[in-house]
Short mmCIF file of all heavy atoms in Angstrom, two decimals:
data_model
loop_
_atom_site.label_atom_id
_atom_site.label_comp_id
_atom_site.label_asym_id
_atom_site.label_seq_id
_atom_site.Cartn_x
_atom_site.Cartn_y
_atom_site.Cartn_z
N VAL A 140 11.96 -6.48 -3.80
CA VAL A 140 10.92 -7.07 -4.67
C VAL A 140 11.50 -8.28 -5.41
O VAL A 140 10.80 -9.29 -5.60
CB VAL A 140 10.35 -6.01 -5.64
CG1 VAL A 140 9.30 -6.64 -6.54
CG2 VAL A 140 9.74 -4.85 -4.86
N TRP A 143 11.09 -11.71 -3.90
CA TRP A 143 9.69 -11.96 -3.51
C TRP A 143 9.39 -13.43 -3.21
O TRP A 143 8.61 -13.72 -2.30
CB TRP A 143 8.75 -11.44 -4.61
CG TRP A 143 8.83 -12.15 -5.93
CD1 TRP A 143 9.64 -11.84 -6.98
CD2 TRP A 143 8.04 -13.26 -6.36
NE1 TRP A 143 9.44 -12.71 -8.03
CE2 TRP A 143 8.45 -13.58 -7.68
CE3 TRP A 143 7.04 -14.02 -5.77
CZ2 TRP A 143 7.88 -14.63 -8.40
CZ3 TRP A 143 6.47 -15.07 -6.50
CH2 TRP A 143 6.89 -15.36 -7.79
N ARG A 144 10.02 -14.33 -3.95
CA ARG A 144 9.70 -15.76 -3.71
C ARG A 144 10.10 -16.16 -2.29
O ARG A 144 9.35 -16.80 -1.56
CB ARG A 144 10.42 -16.65 -4.72
CG ARG A 144 9.77 -16.69 -6.08
CD ARG A 144 10.40 -17.79 -6.93
NE ARG A 144 9.94 -17.72 -8.32
CZ ARG A 144 10.48 -16.91 -9.24
NH1 ARG A 144 11.50 -16.13 -8.92
NH2 ARG A 144 10.01 -16.87 -10.47
N LEU A 156 3.89 -10.36 0.46
CA LEU A 156 4.45 -10.25 -0.90
C LEU A 156 4.82 -8.79 -1.14
O LEU A 156 3.95 -7.91 -1.09
CB LEU A 156 3.40 -10.72 -1.92
CG LEU A 156 3.84 -10.76 -3.38
CD1 LEU A 156 5.01 -11.71 -3.59
CD2 LEU A 156 2.68 -11.18 -4.27
N PRO A 157 6.11 -8.51 -1.41
CA PRO A 157 6.53 -7.13 -1.65
C PRO A 157 6.27 -6.71 -3.09
O PRO A 157 6.48 -7.49 -4.02
CB PRO A 157 8.04 -7.16 -1.35
CG PRO A 157 8.45 -8.55 -1.67
CD PRO A 157 7.26 -9.45 -1.41
N LEU A 158 5.82 -5.47 -3.25
CA LEU A 158 5.57 -4.91 -4.58
C LEU A 158 6.17 -3.50 -4.63
O LEU A 158 6.29 -2.83 -3.58
CB LEU A 158 4.06 -4.80 -4.85
CG LEU A 158 3.24 -6.09 -4.82
CD1 LEU A 158 1.76 -5.76 -4.94
CD2 LEU A 158 3.66 -7.02 -5.95
N PRO A 159 6.47 -3.01 -5.84
CA PRO A 159 6.81 -1.59 -5.96
C PRO A 159 5.53 -0.77 -5.87
O PRO A 159 4.43 -1.32 -5.93
CB PRO A 159 7.42 -1.50 -7.37
CG PRO A 159 6.78 -2.61 -8.12
CD PRO A 159 6.50 -3.71 -7.12
N TRP A 174 11.11 -9.01 -15.33
CA TRP A 174 10.79 -10.21 -14.55
C TRP A 174 9.59 -9.95 -13.63
O TRP A 174 8.86 -10.89 -13.28
CB TRP A 174 11.99 -10.64 -13.70
CG TRP A 174 12.57 -9.55 -12.86
CD1 TRP A 174 13.61 -8.73 -13.19
CD2 TRP A 174 12.11 -9.10 -11.58
NE1 TRP A 174 13.82 -7.81 -12.20
CE2 TRP A 174 12.93 -8.02 -11.20
CE3 TRP A 174 11.11 -9.51 -10.71
CZ2 TRP A 174 12.77 -7.34 -9.99
CZ3 TRP A 174 10.94 -8.84 -9.50
CH2 TRP A 174 11.76 -7.77 -9.15
N PHE A 175 9.38 -8.66 -13.27
CA PHE A 175 8.27 -8.36 -12.37
C PHE A 175 6.93 -8.76 -13.02
O PHE A 175 6.11 -9.43 -12.40
CB PHE A 175 8.28 -6.87 -12.01
CG PHE A 175 7.08 -6.44 -11.20
CD1 PHE A 175 7.00 -6.75 -9.86
CD2 PHE A 175 6.02 -5.75 -11.79
CE1 PHE A 175 5.89 -6.38 -9.11
CE2 PHE A 175 4.92 -5.37 -11.04
CZ PHE A 175 4.85 -5.70 -9.71
N GLU A 176 6.75 -8.35 -14.29
CA GLU A 176 5.48 -8.68 -14.96
C GLU A 176 5.44 -10.15 -15.38
O GLU A 176 4.38 -10.78 -15.34
CB GLU A 176 5.28 -7.79 -16.18
CG GLU A 176 5.07 -6.34 -15.77
CD GLU A 176 4.36 -5.51 -16.83
OE1 GLU A 176 4.03 -6.05 -17.89
OE2 GLU A 176 4.14 -4.32 -16.56
N ILE A 177 6.60 -10.69 -15.76
CA ILE A 177 6.61 -12.05 -16.29
C ILE A 177 6.49 -13.09 -15.18
O ILE A 177 5.78 -14.09 -15.33
CB ILE A 177 7.92 -12.28 -17.10
CG1 ILE A 177 7.93 -11.36 -18.32
CG2 ILE A 177 8.06 -13.74 -17.52
CD1 ILE A 177 9.29 -11.28 -18.99
N GLU A 178 7.16 -12.84 -14.05
CA GLU A 178 7.23 -13.87 -13.02
C GLU A 178 6.36 -13.58 -11.80
O GLU A 178 5.65 -14.45 -11.30
CB GLU A 178 8.69 -14.04 -12.55
CG GLU A 178 9.60 -14.48 -13.67
CD GLU A 178 11.06 -14.43 -13.28
OE1 GLU A 178 11.37 -14.50 -12.07
OE2 GLU A 178 11.92 -14.33 -14.17
N LEU A 179 6.41 -12.33 -11.32
CA LEU A 179 5.70 -12.03 -10.07
C LEU A 179 4.19 -11.85 -10.28
O LEU A 179 3.38 -12.36 -9.51
CB LEU A 179 6.32 -10.79 -9.40
CG LEU A 179 5.87 -10.49 -7.96
CD1 LEU A 179 6.93 -9.67 -7.23
CD2 LEU A 179 4.54 -9.80 -7.85
N LEU A 180 3.82 -11.09 -11.31
CA LEU A 180 2.39 -10.79 -11.47
C LEU A 180 1.51 -12.03 -11.65
O LEU A 180 0.41 -12.09 -11.08
CB LEU A 180 2.16 -9.78 -12.60
CG LEU A 180 2.59 -8.34 -12.30
CD1 LEU A 180 2.10 -7.38 -13.40
CD2 LEU A 180 2.08 -7.86 -10.94
N PRO A 181 1.92 -13.04 -12.43
CA PRO A 181 1.07 -14.24 -12.51
C PRO A 181 0.85 -14.88 -11.15
O PRO A 181 -0.26 -15.35 -10.84
CB PRO A 181 1.85 -15.16 -13.45
CG PRO A 181 2.65 -14.23 -14.29
CD PRO A 181 3.04 -13.10 -13.38
N GLU A 182 1.89 -14.90 -10.30
CA GLU A 182 1.72 -15.47 -8.95
C GLU A 182 0.79 -14.60 -8.12
O GLU A 182 -0.07 -15.12 -7.39
CB GLU A 182 3.11 -15.57 -8.29
CG GLU A 182 3.07 -16.06 -6.84
CD GLU A 182 2.61 -17.50 -6.71
OE1 GLU A 182 2.74 -18.27 -7.68
OE2 GLU A 182 2.12 -17.86 -5.60
N LEU A 183 0.94 -13.28 -8.24
CA LEU A 183 0.06 -12.38 -7.49
C LEU A 183 -1.40 -12.61 -7.89
O LEU A 183 -2.27 -12.74 -7.03
CB LEU A 183 0.46 -10.92 -7.76
CG LEU A 183 -0.49 -9.85 -7.24
CD1 LEU A 183 -0.63 -9.91 -5.74
CD2 LEU A 183 -0.01 -8.45 -7.68
N ARG A 184 -1.65 -12.68 -9.19
CA ARG A 184 -3.04 -12.88 -9.65
C ARG A 184 -3.59 -14.23 -9.19
O ARG A 184 -4.77 -14.34 -8.85
CB ARG A 184 -3.12 -12.72 -11.17
CG ARG A 184 -2.86 -11.30 -11.61
CD ARG A 184 -2.98 -11.12 -13.11
NE ARG A 184 -2.52 -9.79 -13.47
CZ ARG A 184 -1.61 -9.53 -14.42
NH1 ARG A 184 -1.08 -10.51 -15.13
NH2 ARG A 184 -1.25 -8.28 -14.68
#
Side-chain angles (χ1 to χ4, degrees):
V140 179
W143 66 270
R144 282 190 189 84
L156 184 61
L158 300 173
W174 52 266
F175 175 76
E176 293 202 0
I177 295 167
E178 299 171 24
L179 191 155
L180 287 189
E182 176 67 23
L183 171 61
R184 291 182 189 128

